[in-house]
Amino acid sequence: MEERLISKAVISRLPVYLRYLGELKDEGVEKISSKELSDLMHVTASQIRQDLNNFGGFGQQGYGYNVSNLYNEIGRILGLDRRYNMILIGAGNLGSALSGYQSFENRGFSFKAIFDSNHKLVGDSIRNIPIMDINVMPAFLENNKIDIAVIAIPKTAAVSVVDTLVKCGIKAIWNFSHVDLDVPEDVVVENVHLSESLMRLSYNINERVKEGAE
Ligand code: NAI
């Protein structure tokens, strides 16, 4: 299927479509109209049609969408039809939670090693994923094909560790450290800031409070 240049807004909605379609698939639903999908997702049917038309549209007039086909196609567009090898930098609170989460594995994202500078953690493991000394990371990367590096270390340390990762050929970074990374153009970075999501929640709480007071 031919794909055009897709806006970031559409791409950010694709994982949401995938989540709902996955649930429908698990419930054994075979087809769904854009109206039914829109009721479920609380977005307009025209938004759904517009979004999916970016990829040539998957629906058939009078039939709706085949849930399983649409799920597979969106998964393919999101690159979920392959597996990714990942390493994690930082085995602290956040790193332990990320590497302990089995569902990433089920989606095709597999942690192969964890690196930390704290010698008390080195030699240990999380879900059988070994925690190694950060100093051996370049050698590990030379001998293992790693697609994604996950950064869960303090921002003071992140910049130099990311420099090393880039020098070792890493092309994708999932960054949880609160620092803007300056990387070459051929390296993709996805920043995650949970506190921004919390701030959006606090904004919405306060909007509700204001509405109630009017
Ligand atoms: P933590 O202190 O529990 O863990 C940090 C780990 O990084 C420690 O094990 C430490 O030994 C290791 N470390 C420090 N320097 C290192 C280096 N140069 N190389 C390898 N390992 C190194 O901290 P926590 O709570 O896990 O947070 C980690 C980072 O993630 C912090 O910068 C925090 O601000 C950030 N964070 C971001 C969130 C987000 O939504 N983006 C949410 C929570 C934390």
Side-chain angles (χ1 to χ4, degrees):
M1 190 157 297
E2 198 185 319
E3 285 158 36
R4 285 175 272 161
L5 199 61
I6 312 299
S7 77
K8 279 191 182 161
V10 176
I11 292 166
S12 72
R13 284 194 289 273
L14 291 183
V16 186
Y17 287 120
L18 194 79
R19 179 159 52 81
Y20 278 98
L21 289 163
E23 284 168 13
L24 289 167
K25 210 161 74 89
D26 290 346
E27 287 163 19
V29 177
E30 285 176 12
K31 65 170 187 165
I32 190 161
S33 67
S34 42
K35 167 81 175 67
E36 287 166 324
L37 197 54
S38 91
D39 289 345
L40 199 65
M41 291 180 61
H42 305 290
V43 290
T44 65
S46 87
Q47 167 96 81
I48 292 177
R49 282 193 295 269
Q50 257 178 39
D51 282 354
L52 299 181
N53 275 344
N54 277 290
F55 311 100
F58 303 111
Q60 271 174 33
Q61 200 78 37
Y63 175 84
Y65 299 102
N66 177 304
V67 170
S68 189
N69 284 354
L70 189 54
Y71 177 88
N72 291 339
E73 277 301 317
I74 292 179
R76 190 188 61 76
I77 291 161
L78 289 171
L80 300 176
D81 54 348
R82 53 166 288 201
R83 295 197 70 79
Y84 296 88
N85 289 336
M86 309 206 288
I87 56 166
L88 168 70
I89 322 296
N93 291 310
L94 180 62
S96 301
L98 290 170
S99 52
Y101 188 49
Q102 169 76 34
S103 285
F104 293 141
E105 188 87 38
N106 302 343
R107 271 256 169 257
F109 298 89
S110 184
F111 282 111
K112 295 298 172 194
I114 304 169
F115 296 93
D116 204 289
S117 57
N118 181 349
H119 289 158
K120 288 191 186 134
L121 300 175
V122 171
D124 218 336
S125 66
I126 300 172
R127 265 195 324 111
N128 287 328
I129 309 157
I131 303 176
M132 303 182 190
D133 191 318
I134 187 72
N135 292 324
V136 305
M137 185 183 73
F140 181 90
L141 289 174
E142 219 173 285
N143 295 316
N144 294 273
K145 193 190 161 301
I146 298 298
D147 306 293
I148 301 170
V150 184
I151 307 296
I153 52 177
K155 65 177 179 183
T156 45
V159 171
S160 101
V161 167
V162 167
D163 277 351
T164 307
L165 285 165
V166 169
K167 281 191 193 120
C168 292
I170 285 290
K171 298 288 182 210
I173 294 172
W174 198 23
N175 177 35
F176 286 82
S177 291
H178 298 297
V179 62
D180 290 329
L181 300 171
D182 189 13
V183 294
E185 259 182 24
D186 64 342
V187 178
V188 285
V189 177
E190 176 68 25
N191 296 305
V192 183
H193 296 300
L194 296 178
S195 48
E196 288 177 8
S197 170
L198 200 52
M199 284 175 213
R200 283 193 290 275
L201 180 66
S202 93
Y203 172 83
N204 286 325
I205 292 171
N206 288 289
E207 282 300 291
R208 289 273 164 90
V209 171
K210 273 193 237 159
E211 277 168 22
E214 276 167 13

